[in-house]
Amino acid sequence: MGDFMPVLLIHGGVARPSYNVPSVLFHLQKIAIEAYSMFDCGKDHVDVVEKAVLLMENDPTFNAGVGSVLNLLGELEMDAAIMDGSTGMAGAVCSASFPKNPIRLARVVMEMTPHVLISGRGADILAEKLGFERHPGPTEEILKRYGEMRSKLLSGDGCDDLLSEVRRVIKHINYFDTVGAVSSCYGKVAAATSTGGIWMKLPGRVGDTPVIGAGTYAWLRGAASGTGLGEAAMVTLAAKSVVDRINNGRSVRSAVIQTLSEIKKHTGKIYGLIAVNSSEEFFAGQTAGRLAWVAVKDGEVFQGISVSRSQCN
Ligand code: ASP
């Protein structure tokens, strides 16, 4: 690999203390090693982030693909995005319910269509026409949790009551199990993110993940993927802020920390970010709670749990 040491960094969401850290790290590590091994088969930075996210979408531990959470009506509405920093091309899907692996569809949007973001019905039709594997439907565990949350909602009859209940439920959600990956290889970077969104979101709500620049961004020397309350990243363009700072000469660590403190100041919400630069430096941090991450660099595995913006390299 010459002077370049490919790096892959993945996360499985940001959460407050209830998080089962050893279990999440175990799943992340297995996935990171498998995805990273694609570099040895000649695959590139984009292939590797797509694979890492696809493997997390297939693991019900995470809120993406088969483990996706449900909206207020008990429906799946999945979002995903991928971006290649070496070309500036991006692809994303939002509010999709058909594909088991929305990240694959996002890559198709990036490489085979003239568009960047395809929503809902259009995304589902495209996935079906392309012969994508169909989502198997929510797991028993997800349905059980939905039933419990649902029974606590809708105490009143009117729309005002409903909206205030939804606001209350979402305000108290403090675990975000969205998945993301960033990689760097031969000076090229990529980012990918996938999610079921947030529990009990209003139907049609789209979060940060598929919004290029909010939850996912890669350009020139930097790539970033985020997790947490999507609305916080949408109003601060979190992933792009990190990448801009990297391209302006900041270290990855300082780019992430400065962006997180802006998010905290502007929104006060829980949000986490992972990032990498084209010199294979990487960092994970969050405004609150914990963010489990695993990185593989030049074949060596690093893992950690970022607590209160601790650094990872
Ligand atoms: N960022 C995701 C969203 O708001 C949620 C998460 O990170 O789990 O849709």
Side-chain angles (χ1 to χ4, degrees):
M1 290 284 180
D3 288 327
F4 288 104
M5 297 184 286
V7 59
L8 170 68
L9 170 61
I10 67 174
H11 73 78
V14 65
R16 291 204 192 268
S18 56
Y19 211 36
N20 183 346
V21 174
S23 158
V24 173
L25 284 175
F26 174 78
H27 287 256
L28 287 178
Q29 192 177 114
K30 217 166 132 252
I31 287 167
I33 291 169
E34 184 176 341
Y36 188 88
S37 71
M38 291 181 74
F39 281 129
D40 297 332
C41 309
K43 298 292 184 186
D44 69 12
H45 55 300
V46 182
D47 298 322
V48 168
V49 288
E50 181 193 352
K51 179 72 173 187
V53 168
L54 182 141
L55 291 171
M56 290 188 276
E57 287 177 341
N58 289 345
D59 182 338
T61 307
F62 304 107
N63 168 19
V66 300
S68 291
V69 304
L70 304 175
N71 72 12
L72 188 63
L73 300 179
E75 301 161 335
L76 283 167
E77 286 186 318
M78 300 175 287
D79 303 333
I82 190 162
M83 187 161 183
D84 178 352
S86 70
T87 60
M89 299 283 284
V93 293
C94 65
S95 305
S97 59
F98 181 89
K100 180 182 171 198
N101 295 111
I103 196 64
R104 276 192 64 211
L105 193 58
R107 186 154 185 195
V108 165
V109 173
M110 174 168 83
E111 291 177 351
M112 292 166 64
T113 78
H115 308 305
V116 169
L117 174 61
I118 297 188
S119 71
R121 191 172 146 264
D124 288 338
I125 292 171
L126 185 62
E128 207 169 345
K129 290 235 179 278
L130 289 168
F132 273 38
E133 193 174 344
R134 186 182 209 126
H135 193 288
T139 62
E140 288 293 313
E141 170 68 22
I142 294 279
L143 288 172
K144 189 168 158 257
R145 274 164 85 184
Y146 173 74
E148 286 161 7
M149 290 173 116
R150 174 83 192 176
S151 66
K152 289 188 195 145
L153 272 170
L154 300 177
S155 44
D157 293 331
C159 192
D160 286 351
D161 291 336
L162 172 65
L163 292 180
S164 63
E165 280 296 276
V166 169
R167 274 202 301 275
R168 188 182 60 76
V169 169
I170 288 176
K171 194 169 166 194
H172 288 98
I173 288 175
N174 56 18
Y175 45 89
F176 300 94
D177 305 332
T178 284
V179 303
V182 289
S183 81
S184 171
C185 182
Y186 289 110
K188 295 178 175 180
V189 297
T193 318
S194 181
T195 188
I198 51 175
W199 271 112
M200 299 313 226
K201 60 188 178 182
L202 286 171
R205 178 264 188 188
V206 176
D208 55 320
T209 299
V211 176
I212 301 302
T216 310
Y217 201 70
W219 174 234
L220 296 176
R221 300 193 306 109
S225 165
T227 171
L229 193 67
E231 284 73 5
M234 292 164 89
V235 295
T236 52
L237 283 184
K240 184 172 189 301
S241 298
V242 172
V243 170
D244 283 350
R245 289 188 160 104
I246 292 172
N247 284 320
N248 286 334
R250 295 269 172 195
S251 69
V252 179
R253 179 179 189 279
S254 134
V256 170
I257 287 177
Q258 281 195 6
T259 304
L260 288 170
S261 83
E262 251 172 35
I263 296 171
K264 198 168 175 179
K265 204 163 140 204
H266 187 140
T267 72
K269 302 294 184 197
I270 182 167
Y271 201 74
L273 284 157
I274 60 169
V276 70
N277 70 9
S278 54
S279 310
E280 294 92 25
E281 290 165 6
F282 60 91
F283 188 81
Q286 74 293 322
T287 58
R290 310 173 187 200
L291 177 70
W293 57 269
V294 170
V296 189
K297 183 173 178 177
D298 202 25
E300 198 177 339
V301 179
F302 303 80
Q303 65 170 39
I305 180 94
S306 173
V307 183
S308 288
R309 300 188 317 200
S310 63
Q311 76 177 74
C312 71
N313 81 330

